Amino acid sequence: MRRTEALKIITRVLRQPVPDVPVADLIAGHPVAAFDPAATDRPKPWGMQVDVLALKIAAELPLAEDSEQSPLARAEDAKRRRDLGAELDILMGAGAALTSAPWYPSRPGDLVHVHYEAGGLSDAFGETYRITAGADGFLSMQLLCHTLPDDTEHADGMVGCFAVDDDPDPLSDLWFEAGPHRLTIIRDGRPVHIGGAR
């Protein structure tokens, strides 16, 4: 994506990060100190936590082309090209991206939603999992619900496949196979990871 397009998107979000706030006055060359709160023709200032604003901006920016595939799919492409170095870089990079995320590791109570695009067997659908404490000291990830109609052919084999019991890293398979761009992770009622949401 060209830098100018990214700047346009960031400026748009900064002017109005959520639909119900006034559009901010971000005229170039006017420092914040020059803002006159008594002026009637100026919009009211808005406030937002920096991490929430950063997530909003990240959700608005288009994904890079290679992030449209899961790490596993990209690694498989590299393997087909017989590029062992690229395959290892992709897998190690995906693992590092997971373990270095500010919300990592998972905690009991986290909600994980995965979005699946329409495919040959079904329309687009989603699944929501809940992270819970496992019986033997690790974590489990249980399917809470899904949006695939029950009468969909092969529905039983398509939903809940990422549920795990007592796993030291319950998100690992989902992160590598579905891809971080398809995941939304909620902790304490707030999104801590928004994949490809626009």
Side-chain angles (χ1 to χ4, degrees), residues 98-169:
L98 172 60
T99 58
S100 66
W103 45 263
Y104 184 87
S106 300
R107 295 183 196 162
D110 287 356
L111 295 176
V112 182
H113 181 80
V114 58
H115 169 78
Y116 299 100
E117 298 294 336
L121 296 175
S122 73
D123 293 331
F125 74 100
E127 295 179 309
T128 302
Y129 292 88
R130 179 179 60 193
I131 304 290
T132 61
D136 296 321
F138 293 117
L139 296 173
S140 296
M141 190 164 70
Q142 304 165 335
L143 179 69
L144 275 181
C145 60
H146 64 86
T147 59
L148 188 67
D150 291 332
D151 61 354
T152 303
E153 188 177 356
H154 308 296
D156 289 341
M158 293 176 69
V159 297
C161 62
F162 290 107
V164 294
D165 288 320
D166 271 318
D167 192 303
D169 197 349

Side-chain angles (χ1 to χ4, degrees), residues 23-53:
V23 176
D25 188 0
L26 300 175
I27 299 171
H30 286 71
V32 174
F35 182 78
D36 180 5
T40 57
D41 61 337
R42 299 241 180 170
K44 294 179 182 176
W46 47 261
M48 178 175 272
Q49 285 183 231
V50 172
D51 57 340
V52 174
L53 182 58

